[in-house]
Amino acid sequence: RADAGDALRMSKGARAAANADGVSDEAIRRAIEEPDDLEPDPTGNGRMRLKRGTLTVVVAKDGAVLSVRDRKGRGRR
């Protein structure tokens, strides 16, 4: 378990997606540490898909964050 001060290890794509959706590192940590639901990722390789609320995080076997997606409702701009 990582301390709050430790930087999350994330792929460039996951970091870009988190930034684009306004998802904080703290929200990602919460999803990893206290998921509402978890299941193996369909791509396999030991990856896990963790869900908390509208947030879905895919992590590798080594704990690196590979994907971040927030399905929160978005208003029209």
Side-chain angles (χ1 to χ4, degrees), residues 5-39:
D6 292 343
L8 284 173
R9 290 183 311 117
M10 298 176 70
S11 69
K12 288 180 184 179
R15 177 62 67 193
N19 289 340
D21 284 348
V23 178
S24 69
D25 282 7
E26 182 56 35
I28 295 168
R29 277 192 191 89
R30 239 183 348 257
I32 293 169
E33 294 174 2
E34 301 173 17
D36 295 332
D37 186 34
L38 63 115
E39 61 190 34

Side-chain angles (χ1 to χ4, degrees), residues 16-76:
N19 289 340
D21 284 348
V23 178
S24 69
D25 282 7
E26 182 56 35
I28 295 168
R29 277 192 191 89
R30 239 183 348 257
I32 293 169
E33 294 174 2
E34 301 173 17
D36 295 332
D37 186 34
L38 63 115
E39 61 190 34
D41 188 63
T43 59
N45 299 326
R47 297 175 180 179
M48 292 299 293
R49 182 174 291 180
L50 307 136
K51 299 178 182 178
R52 183 173 174 89
T54 60
L55 184 62
T56 301
V57 178
V58 176
V59 295
K61 276 197 269 190
D62 67 0
V65 177
L66 303 175
S67 173
V68 175
R69 180 176 302 162
D70 194 351
R71 297 254 185 211
K72 67 181 173 242
R74 295 183 185 178
R76 294 185 179 224

